[in-house]
Amino acid sequence: MPTFQEAFGDVSAALAQHFGRPPSHFEGLEPFEAMIAVLLERKAGQTRWKAALEGLGAAGLLVPERLAEVEIIEIRDAVREKGPILSAKALAPLRHLARWLVEHHGGRVDSLFNPDRSTGWLRGELAAIKGIGMTDADALLLFALKRPSYRVDRATYRVLVRHGWLDPTATYDEARDALVDQAADQADTLEEDAAADLAELAHGMEQLGRQFCRAAAPHCDGCPLEGLLPEGGPRGGDD
Ligand code: SF4
């Protein structure tokens, strides 16, 4: 059975061939809008985040300085105007993120693209913002800031464990680092290439988890990774 390092290129290629390129959800958004969109997608879901973002835009709240100073109830009402009803708890991280940007970066998202600020440093900063943990930080880095990171979802975890590429006791960071390190190796250290590869991989893994590698049981027949199964079939990896 190939090691994860040996198989990484084949996994990426098989998923890209089967599931295609990821949808460009956040293309065309300004960087701050994209960061808020990523958080809204996590809070409101894939079908409702766009309406929520439109509500914030219509209320003039897609500006860090404005979002940082308004009351949560105003944010909630703006979202509800065009989108879902979200709780104050779900919306508070948006304001915390805006405040962090204003207080530490003069409200300028472009400061986060500065290559002198490493992805690891930025990850720690984002994850330390109230209401934004490591998983949100990884999603923000990859999808809004185009940095090489990865939000390890349950589908990715199942696939890696069932193929014997990840120990079932591995921590979130160990799983995330294994993926990011392999993408960096493949991309020959070009950060933007590694980020694009990881975004494509995330899309493929998500689809794989829905269509083949389900939580209850894997459906390996016809799966794009069937040829990379370990001897004897999948290993335990149920949620
Ligand atoms: S369904 Fe089977 S072949 Fe496909 S990823 Fe899961 S364990 Fe691998």
Side-chain angles (χ1 to χ4, degrees):
M1 181 186 70
T3 64
F4 186 50
Q5 189 176 13
E6 291 163 347
F8 184 82
D10 290 338
V11 170
S12 300
L15 295 185
Q17 188 178 11
H18 195 91
F19 297 114
R21 297 189 58 73
S24 48
H25 285 328
F26 308 126
E27 290 298 321
L29 296 178
E30 294 295 323
F32 182 62
E33 294 175 349
M35 294 184 86
I36 295 299
V38 167
L39 292 182
L40 284 174
E41 187 187 37
R42 302 265 290 139
K43 310 294 180 194
Q46 290 185 339
T47 57
R48 301 192 302 169
W49 69 266
K50 206 166 188 174
L53 189 74
E54 282 172 13
L56 291 177
L61 295 180
L62 289 177
V63 178
E65 288 81 356
R66 279 277 295 132
L67 190 61
E69 67 187 17
V70 293
E71 298 294 331
I72 284 290
I73 194 166
E74 198 176 328
I75 300 173
R76 194 185 65 188
D77 288 348
V79 167
R80 187 167 53 184
E81 194 65 34
K82 292 188 182 278
I85 299 173
L86 295 178
S87 68
K89 188 177 174 198
L91 292 168
L94 277 60
R95 190 172 63 172
H96 293 315
L97 174 66
R99 285 182 175 170
W100 173 79
L101 266 172
V102 171
E103 287 168 13
H104 297 276
H105 298 279
R108 296 168 57 91
V109 180
D110 55 358
S111 135
L112 307 184
F113 291 96
N114 182 343
D116 291 341
R117 299 182 193 281
S118 75
T119 299
W121 175 83
L122 197 47
R123 183 173 187 250
E125 291 284 300
L126 289 169
I129 298 171
K130 194 173 176 188
I132 298 179
M134 280 300 179
T135 57
D136 281 344
D138 285 327
L140 286 167
L141 286 166
L142 183 60
F143 299 117
L145 302 176
K146 314 292 184 202
R147 296 270 197 155
S149 199
Y150 195 97
R151 182 178 65 80
V152 184
D153 58 355
R154 300 304 303 174
T156 302
Y157 177 82
R158 281 199 299 278
V159 172
L160 296 184
V161 169
R162 282 172 174 168
H163 281 257
W165 293 322
L166 185 71
D167 190 286
T169 62
T171 63
Y172 174 87
D173 273 3
E174 286 168 347
R176 179 258 181 199
D177 290 350
L179 289 153
V180 172
D181 289 350
Q182 289 313 315
D185 282 355
Q186 295 276 320
D188 210 9
T189 71
L190 272 181
E191 279 217 334
E192 61 214 52
D193 289 352
D197 290 350
L198 286 163
E200 197 163 286
L201 185 73
H203 170 63
M205 287 288 188
E206 186 185 347
Q207 296 304 315
L208 199 61
R210 280 193 192 149
Q211 298 179 32
F212 296 98
C213 208
R214 298 185 193 136
H219 297 260
C220 301
D221 285 352
C223 173
L225 300 192
E226 188 181 0
L228 293 167
L229 275 170
E231 209 172 307
R235 299 184 179 168
D238 296 351
D239 290 330

